[in-house]
Amino acid sequence: MTAPALSRDRPGAGPLEAIIRAEIAARGPISVAEYMALALGHPEYGYYMTRDPLGTQGDFTTAPEVSQMFGEMIGLWLAERLEHLGRPAPALVELGPGRGTLMVDALRAAAPLRALPLWLVETSPVLRAAQTTRLPGATHAAAFEEVPEGPILLIANEFLDALPVHQFVSDGAVWREIRVGLDANGALARGLSAQLPGRDCAPKGSWAEESPTADRIVAEAARRIAAHGGAALFVDYGYDAADRPAGPTLQALRGHARADALEEPGMADLTWLPDFDRLARLAADAAPVTVHRSSQGAFLAALGIGQRAASLAARIPSEAGTIADALERLCGPGEGAMGTRFKVLAITPSGATPPGFAEPTPSPGDAP
């Protein structure tokens, strides 16, 4: 892909698109990861820097916004893990806390967590303000690495999927990276890089996605848990070998509908689907920990969300239908539900299986 002459006054181009196009014109096509970093995180025009993207007035809805039951189950799981820790007390850490809804519900459901120092890893000034209002006393950090060393209880819900990702495809002879450049009219367009060295041949149509930032965070969580104790829980819209998509997974959402990822950068949410097989291998390779896997629906059911829904419906009969709908959306397998599409990965010190999981994932050396 080449970088043609730039038309700075292309009709409809917003300020962030003009910045990206100028960058491409100056130095050539950029990776999908670089494009995502600018579209989501540009300090002045990035999507997450300028808005609250959640809820009916935003572009997407996460599980904590569907029902208080989700955060309550997470809180109870973290409290159970707290019982297995000695001293010093762990830090309670949430990566990408959104409005703070999950943590508010978790703390309400699990009183022992309220005594822990709370760290919120967030880059959005808009969402930081909402979190400060709802979770006074929490400490903010821009990156997980800023959280002090020591035992941790970590939750990351729909966090990894928004981190910048590189995308690769094979033509049967060589691997190439998907890049974002400019077409003949100066508009943003996808293309392919030159041959990538050091990669084995793969059948035509093979594809891969890699996020160095996501990899680093999962490995760092495993290292800290192995060194100091604690637990980490990653929940995300993702896949494993059983439901691997047919091709690269970058997608855009705007107004709760699919959008073109290259149209009006900074105005839509961009996400991809993490490979939970890859995440499990990364965690197990990084440190001597145990990795546990489940679907969101099975995980929440094992924790007792069905009983919690029944209790809420009995207490507030007028809301029984709404509660049942929320339970189905969180746990059901159908279209539009999260139960099977969302995966759960937990990292714990070597030992017994925590609630919500049937058995630990075998280490890479034991896998068939």
Side-chain angles (χ1 to χ4, degrees):
M1 177 185 292
T2 59
L6 179 65
S7 172
R8 296 183 184 276
D9 58 352
R10 192 178 71 80
L16 182 54
E17 182 177 341
I19 291 170
I20 294 173
R21 289 165 60 230
E23 177 79 5
I24 294 169
R27 67 182 183 91
I30 60 177
S31 67
V32 171
E34 292 172 293
Y35 175 77
M36 281 187 71
L38 288 168
L40 298 178
H42 185 277
E44 189 173 0
Y45 302 115
Y47 177 78
Y48 284 121
M49 301 297 107
T50 58
R51 74 201 67 219
D52 177 349
L54 296 160
T56 57
Q57 301 303 310
D59 295 308
F60 60 91
T61 300
T62 60
E65 304 293 334
V66 171
S67 170
Q68 69 185 62
M69 296 184 291
F70 181 82
E72 291 171 347
M73 295 299 105
I74 299 298
L76 294 175
W77 190 89
L78 293 170
E80 191 277 340
R81 291 290 87 199
L82 179 61
E83 292 181 3
H84 290 76
L85 291 175
R87 295 291 179 180
L92 183 59
V93 183
E94 184 172 4
L95 309 181
R99 295 170 173 167
T101 304
L102 185 157
M103 189 56 65
V104 167
D105 292 335
L107 294 176
R108 184 185 62 253
L113 300 179
R114 300 171 202 164
L116 304 179
L118 175 59
W119 286 79
L120 304 176
V121 177
E122 180 63 69
T123 58
S124 167
V126 176
L127 294 176
R128 277 195 177 198
Q131 294 157 17
T132 298
T133 298
R134 304 186 74 179
L135 296 162
T139 302
H140 276 104
F144 178 34
E145 290 78 6
E146 295 178 17
V147 178
E149 282 286 332
I152 55 170
L153 292 174
L154 181 147
I155 172 66
N157 179 64
E158 291 198 54
F159 172 76
L160 298 177
D161 67 348
L163 299 175
V165 67
H166 294 269
Q167 297 185 308
F168 307 94
V169 293
S170 170
D171 63 7
V174 300
W175 282 93
R176 303 182 190 275
E177 183 170 11
I178 298 175
R179 312 280 285 181
V180 177
L182 303 174
D183 65 16
N185 297 315
L188 296 174
R190 292 177 177 84
L192 296 176
S193 72
Q195 176 180 350
L196 295 174
R199 286 179 174 259
D200 295 334
C201 291
K204 184 177 181 178
S206 298
W207 62 275
E209 292 175 322
E210 298 175 6
S211 172
T213 305
D215 292 355
R216 186 182 71 249
I217 287 171
V218 171
E220 175 66 8
R223 184 195 66 78
R224 292 195 184 203
I225 290 166
H228 307 290
L233 197 65
F234 293 92
V235 185
D236 232 309
Y237 186 7
Y239 66 91
D240 53 29
D243 57 0
R244 179 178 167 85
T249 66
L250 182 71
Q251 58 188 359
L253 280 178
R254 187 173 181 180
H256 296 268
R258 293 290 180 90
D260 184 339
L262 299 187
E263 183 178 337
E264 293 190 273
M267 298 301 293
D269 182 39
L270 300 179
T271 63
W272 54 284
L273 305 185
D275 178 348
F276 273 69
D277 290 333
R278 175 184 172 84
L279 296 180
R281 290 193 300 269
L282 284 167
D285 288 345
V289 293
T290 303
V291 180
H292 315 267
R293 305 266 295 279
S294 184
S295 66
Q296 177 174 296
F299 175 72
L300 294 175
L303 294 181
I305 194 172
Q307 295 90 323
R308 176 57 175 156
S311 174
L312 285 173
R315 187 188 309 170
I316 319 170
S318 61
E319 295 295 319
T322 299
I323 294 167
D325 289 344
L327 180 64
E328 176 61 25
R329 186 168 182 189
L330 290 173
C331 299
E335 183 68 25
M338 300 176 174
T340 55
R341 294 188 303 153
F342 280 69
K343 315 297 183 186
V344 183
L345 182 146
I347 304 171
T348 63
S350 299
T353 302
F357 300 94
E359 60 184 16
T361 298
S363 67
D366 296 334

